[in-house]
Amino acid sequence: MFPGPARPLADIERQLIDAIAAAPDDDLARQVLADYWMSGADPARGELVSLQLAGGDAADLVDVYWQRWIGALDDEGFDVELARGFTRYPLVLDDSDRLAHAPDTRRVSPRLYVSTHSLDADHRRVCAGVSWTGEPVLLKATMAADDPLGERAIVIEHPNVVQLLDVARWRQFEVLVYAWAGIELRPRAWGEQVAAAVGRQIAAGLAALHAVGTVHCAVSPQHILVDAAGGARLGGFGSARSPLVASQPAYFTVRPQQRRFAYMAPEQVVGRPPVLATDVFALGVVLAEMCTGQHPLGPLGESDFEILEGVRARRHVVPAALVMSTLLDRMLARDPAERPPAAEVATILGELTGRSPARTPTAPPHRW
């Protein structure tokens, strides 16, 4: 536990800390909590909040109480920076970590996420977790905090796009916190009805992304999340980029067991920059697989080279008997200019499933 006496959170403390977590930019709850602490519960901590809210220098106060307030987190490798009385960024702790359930951890970090599995130090692990309210979330540790992806993360508000809720810290790594959106789509034969239903939703999500001039660059089963109610959402925005900025890297990352490069478009394989139609091609590959259980190139081989050569040199083919065959043929056209836009794909698949595609935004996305 933290050094010093272990004191459980009083009801008023918990309510105010939850209010701070829910509205981190609103200082009213912070000041009320500071007044409560200064009235006798924890005068030094109350003074810290009041002093930092007023823009004062609290360095001496922090030095005196660092071991009591922060020491346990510091010992666990967390780089804690205090601002306005609390950690500047929310923290992520493992469920097995004693600090995840310590009252003083909430007193230091109102926005606290607890992962149900340990995050890996290679900062590529995605795992489930819960927020301070008990809501399920997805946690993705991404990179060192001194090069924050969160500051340039794209946030699209759309029912078929995974929602980025927060940017937190796990030790020296940054963690993107997403709303729970289901499990990864398994690449197998689902049949046309399921393929059309999932495709309609993902095409609508892509249309929203494309409406603000961004290419996903990595549409694959790994980045399509489905829930028990049949909802599908597009995730995996680590490779997303603007087609207007040629200097941005365009890379494609899927796990080896999901056949690296199998969802790339021909223009990517020959080194041309991705365009909006690149995402449509990748979705076409996913839908063809969902309909038949087979990749539209047929056997791909085992090595990355064989897969890349197949995408470069061979034509993607779908069975003519499929109801979706005409649409899939257009989506898999080798010339990007011949592929339909994502919004049109969503409309056509909506007609096949009797559903209308969700409306896409025209305003620029938020930047975290």
Side-chain angles (χ1 to χ4, degrees), residues 33-113:
L33 182 58
D35 292 344
Y36 169 77
W37 279 337
M38 292 177 71
S39 68
D42 197 336
R45 203 187 298 262
E47 183 181 355
L48 168 71
V49 178
S50 289
L51 189 57
Q52 288 196 327
L53 284 178
D57 184 359
D60 291 342
L61 189 63
V62 171
D63 285 344
V64 172
Y65 289 95
W66 180 265
Q67 188 59 32
R68 175 181 168 187
W69 292 338
I70 311 298
L73 289 168
D74 200 8
D75 293 342
E76 293 294 327
F78 285 86
D79 183 13
V80 176
E81 178 185 358
L82 296 178
R84 294 155 62 227
F86 303 92
T87 53
R88 183 178 297 277
Y89 302 97
L91 301 182
V92 176
L93 294 111
D94 297 339
D95 187 46
S96 59
D97 194 324
R98 72 191 189 282
L99 299 178
H101 308 285
D104 258 10
T105 305
R106 281 301 311 278
R107 292 187 177 107
V108 173
S109 179
R111 287 187 293 165
L112 180 68
Y113 299 94

Side-chain angles (χ1 to χ4, degrees), residues 288-305:
E289 273 193 319
M290 291 184 69
C291 289
T292 66
Q294 302 294 323
H295 194 281
L297 282 177
L300 288 171
E302 297 296 327
S303 70
D304 286 348
F305 175 79

Side-chain angles (χ1 to χ4, degrees), residues 28 31 46 64 66 76 137 160 208 241 249 275 298 320 325 337 339 360 365:
L28 178 59
Q31 188 59 64
V64 172
W66 180 265
E76 293 294 327
V137 294
N160 300 120
R241 68 187 288 268
V275 292
S325 63
R339 300 170 201 157
T360 59

Side-chain angles (χ1 to χ4, degrees), residues 178-267:
Y178 292 96
W180 177 258
I183 61 174
E184 294 176 6
L185 178 70
R186 293 194 309 172
R188 65 174 178 84
W190 291 93
E192 278 198 87
Q193 185 174 3
V194 175
V198 170
R200 175 189 63 82
Q201 297 176 75
I202 299 305
L206 279 175
L209 193 66
H210 294 173
V212 294
T214 301
V215 187
H216 187 282
C217 294
V219 176
S220 70
Q222 178 194 4
H223 294 147
I224 295 175
L225 301 175
V226 293
D227 59 35
R233 295 172 180 84
L234 181 66
F237 291 97
S239 301
R241 68 187 288 268
S242 168
L244 304 178
V245 184
S247 62
Q248 286 185 294
Y251 52 92
F252 191 92
T253 53
V254 296
R255 290 197 289 269
Q257 61 265 35
Q258 291 191 289
R259 294 170 301 172
R260 183 176 171 86
F261 306 127
Y263 304 93
M264 292 185 77
E267 61 269 17

Side-chain angles (χ1 to χ4, degrees), residues 159-175:
N160 300 120
V161 173
V162 175
Q163 183 183 2
L164 180 64
L165 300 177
D166 212 340
V167 181
R169 295 287 169 83
W170 173 71
R171 293 188 168 88
Q172 72 270 38
F173 297 105
E174 188 174 73
V175 178

